[in-house]
Amino acid sequence: MTTIAHAPPTRKARNRWLNDAAGRRDGVAGLLLLDTLAAIGFAAGVAGGVTAVMGQGAVWPWAVLMLGMGALRGVFATLALRRGAVRAGAVKRAQRLRAVAATLRRKPGAPIDSGLLASQAVDAVEALDGYVARFLPARRAAAIAPMLVLVATACASWVAAVLLAGTLLPFVAAMILAGGAAADESRRQFVALHRLSARFADRVRSLPVVLAFRAETRETEAIGAAALELAERTMRVLRVAFLSSAALEFFAALSVALVAVYCGFALLGLLPFAAPETLTLAQAFFVLALAPEFYAPMRRLAAAYHDKQAAETAADTLMPLTEPEPVPLVRVTAPLILRDVAIRYPGSDAPAVSHLSLRIDAGETVALLGPSGSGKTSVLHMLLGLAPLSAGTVEAGGVPLTSLAGHASWAGQHPLLIAGTIRDNLTLAHPRADQLAIQRAVAAAGLGPMLAARPGGLGATLDARGSGLSGGERRRIALARALLNPAPFLLLDEPTAHLDAAAEAALIATIARAAKGRTTLIATHSPALAAIATRVVHLGHAA
Ligand SMILES: Nc1ncnc2c1ncn2[C@@H]1O[C@H](COP(=O)(O)OP(=O)(O)OP(=O)(O)O)[C@@H](O)[C@H]1O
């Protein structure tokens, strides 16, 4: 089961990270402020139009002002939406690349958790969308826009401005209370979502094992329970969200009602106290048309508030991802010299390999022989930067080596297959390989009969599990891929396992040809394959 194993960061650190992740401002908040200014113009148009209709001047300039400002509001709102979406897209792309890069360049031997990666690269990154596109611009605009409305209102009626401002304080207090509760609930909801998606991804990946052990019912129940937990958490978040929107709507309605009652009574001279100001019809209409705009930025902010909570929870998952170190591009050549090398996996008490010293000269073929578990694969993985070098040194062509990746063709024990055609799988390590080179590699790896029997041949599609391929066929694909890549080092991990004697003999001849001119290291249990090596190195008990 996938868990988030680190302590949550402090609020300050989280906010700083979110700000950095959101990057530069793209003027979305500015567009929202322009929308507020256009709303003030619109209210002026309404007020002027009404007084003109009552016979005080021409109507059309006010109508033009009203329509123009209305149209501008539409333009500003659309531009703000579009710019926000573009900015959020860029932020998500950068974070997704970061999540994937952190996984690809994790410490050698550190376990990979596909459920966690899926949750980080998909759910957590997606949760930043609303934060960047809506919440941040809404928060920036909400700090200024109500003040603009207040100043415009005060120019027409200072009493109306005081009434609006008076409802603001209890509203802010209510929102702080509701916001705190919503933050906790939202965090719990996100953890439940993370748990469900990680569990689901893990189980889909291990579906054959689940089916083989008849664990469908148990796993279905577990996923059902996780889904139920998520539903309950979502309902709690919604309840708090409804509560805060009820508070918002109450104070928004109260402010408009107070202004309307005051303006009406002031115009009719029905105020139960001496009028503190003289209000004209135009001023009253202006103030009334503007009153709903006072709470509009807060409404926008409240609508995006959930995005902030989701982003904060996502930040807890994304922040611990370490920045990938740039991989230095070093030209690596033989000889390959290992001095007193030890490989110890994280969490293991005993090293998988210890005190291994070895020199492999350019063009040499070395076979690593040894009982199962003696560390043959670990040595190849260490050279590729996939297993940790815990002690000793490795040097290639006089350069201290961190990884042969990029300089080596590799056929692993569990060949990686991607969803795509057989050709896609072959050209994975050498995308520019031409048709002739592909045909040669296919023939050399003994894939010809399999491709001839398969509709589509090289164009036949595989899924990521390589369903429909035998173990031997998968290894042949991995070998053909390694042969296709003209790298100076060739690393093969049990390339002839799962093959009958005749197929093994044919493949050994192919490997012997492919090894010519390359520095080759082969991990094997097969004495026949080891026989083509210029040197045999025994690991483990057999040493
Ligand atoms: N990722 C890992 N984390 C922890 N221990 C590991 C890991 N990979 C391998 N080991 C351990 O390291 C030891 C050497 O394993 P390795 O696969 O290198 O042996 P091998 O000689 O290639 O075995 P085989 O012939 O069965 O393929 C084993 O005890 C194994 O359990």
Side-chain angles (χ1 to χ4, degrees):
M1 179 63 216
T2 308
T3 50
I4 307 175
H6 42 80
T10 61
R11 193 187 166 91
K12 205 169 150 195
R14 189 191 290 131
N15 286 344
R16 195 173 331 116
W17 185 87
L18 278 170
N19 261 337
D20 290 348
R24 65 197 163 82
R25 302 172 182 199
D26 263 6
V28 183
L31 285 165
L32 296 178
L33 288 179
L34 286 175
D35 176 57
T36 302
L37 289 177
I40 295 172
F42 183 82
V46 171
V50 168
T51 38
V53 168
M54 305 290 280
Q56 297 171 23
V59 176
W60 68 264
W62 299 111
V64 168
L65 180 66
M66 213 169 75
L67 290 176
M69 291 297 156
L72 272 182
R73 291 198 73 180
V75 171
F76 292 143
T78 310
L79 281 179
L81 270 181
R82 193 171 293 172
R83 274 205 188 185
V86 170
R87 180 90 211 113
V91 169
K92 286 191 293 179
R93 209 164 22 254
Q95 287 304 321
R96 219 157 254 152
L97 285 175
R98 194 173 152 259
V100 173
T103 307
L104 290 179
R105 298 198 203 147
R106 67 198 186 282
K107 279 208 178 82
I112 181 167
D113 185 331
S114 56
L116 182 60
L117 172 64
S119 151
Q120 282 168 338
V122 181
D123 301 336
V125 170
E126 203 51 48
L128 298 178
D129 186 275
Y131 179 78
V132 177
R134 291 183 293 274
F135 177 77
L136 277 185
R139 189 176 64 184
R140 286 171 195 147
I144 302 173
M147 298 307 130
L148 293 178
V149 175
L150 214 56
V151 169
T153 307
C155 290
S157 160
W158 66 266
V159 179
V162 168
L163 287 174
L164 288 180
T167 59
L168 193 62
L169 294 179
F171 164 74
V172 169
M175 289 313 276
I176 287 172
L177 281 178
D184 292 342
E185 291 301 344
S186 173
R187 198 153 296 137
R188 285 190 204 111
Q189 185 216 19
F190 195 82
V191 171
L193 174 65
H194 166 84
R195 211 171 284 149
L196 175 63
S197 56
R199 183 181 274 271
F200 193 71
D202 283 349
R203 295 314 181 267
V204 166
R205 198 161 40 90
S206 47
L207 205 52
V209 183
V210 171
L211 292 174
F213 286 93
R214 304 245 160 148
E216 307 95 293
T217 316
R218 201 173 59 229
E219 288 306 329
T220 310
E221 278 168 9
I223 289 178
L228 204 64
E229 186 197 355
L230 175 64
E232 277 166 12
R233 301 256 175 243
T234 307
M235 282 313 290
R236 280 188 210 162
V237 172
L238 287 177
R239 247 175 257 141
V240 180
F242 285 141
L243 198 69
S244 52
S245 47
L248 173 66
E249 292 310 323
F250 171 75
F251 286 107
L254 185 68
S255 68
V256 175
L258 285 176
V259 170
V261 169
Y262 164 71
C263 290
F265 278 31
L267 281 179
L268 296 171
L270 295 178
L271 286 174
F273 46 83
E277 63 184 353
T278 359
L279 208 58
T280 64
L281 185 64
Q283 284 168 323
F285 258 97
F286 176 71
V287 165
L288 258 178
L290 208 50
E293 292 303 325
F294 183 64
Y295 274 93
M298 264 84 83
R299 263 207 191 100
R300 208 182 287 129
L301 184 63
Y305 202 73
H306 180 69
D307 294 325
K308 176 190 174 245
Q309 330 252 266
E312 282 179 350
T313 318
D316 294 355
T317 316
L318 292 171
M319 276 175 76
L321 292 179
T322 45
E323 292 302 331
E325 305 246 327
V327 181
L329 269 181
V330 183
R331 176 124 193 88
V332 171
T333 53
L336 206 57
I337 301 171
L338 283 70
R339 285 194 195 93
D340 211 17
V341 159
I343 301 169
R344 185 198 294 266
Y345 289 97
S348 292
D349 294 336
V353 173
S354 58
H355 304 298
L356 175 68
S357 293
L358 181 64
R359 177 190 170 103
I360 309 169
D361 283 318
E364 216 186 341
T365 299
V366 170
L368 293 176
L369 235 64
S372 194
S374 56
K376 303 179 295 295
T377 300
S378 299
V379 171
L380 298 187
H381 279 184
M382 182 273 296
L383 290 173
L384 289 162
L386 301 175
L389 172 68
S390 336
T393 57
V394 181
E395 215 178 77
V399 185
L401 183 80
T402 45
S403 165
L404 273 181
H407 304 281
S409 284
W410 174 48
Q413 222 180 88
H414 306 287
L416 169 86
L417 293 174
I418 54 164
T421 62
I422 294 179
R423 184 184 284 100
D424 294 338
N425 274 281
L426 292 176
T427 53
L428 201 57
H430 189 40
R432 285 192 296 274
D434 61 27
Q435 188 59 23
L436 189 65
I438 295 175
Q439 294 293 0
R440 275 202 198 124
V442 160
L447 277 170
M450 185 274 270
L451 288 179
R454 197 164 280 252
L458 279 171
T461 52
L462 301 176
D463 64 18
R465 289 172 201 272
S467 309
L469 291 177
S470 73
E473 286 165 347
R474 282 173 217 203
R475 272 162 204 263
R476 284 177 194 275
I477 288 182
L479 183 65
R481 184 194 288 159
L483 299 182
L484 198 55
N485 184 16
F489 293 90
L490 181 60
L491 306 185
L492 304 176
D493 196 352
E494 302 199 19
T496 56
H498 296 303
L499 298 179
D500 58 42
E504 183 185 26
L507 208 59
I508 288 175
T510 299
I511 293 170
R513 272 196 303 278
K516 279 209 175 75
R518 306 212 221 188
T519 309
T520 306
L521 201 52
I522 307 171
T524 184
H525 286 283
S526 158
L529 178 56
I532 66 164
T534 44
R535 199 142 49 92
V536 174
V537 173
H538 290 275
L539 292 182
H541 315 304

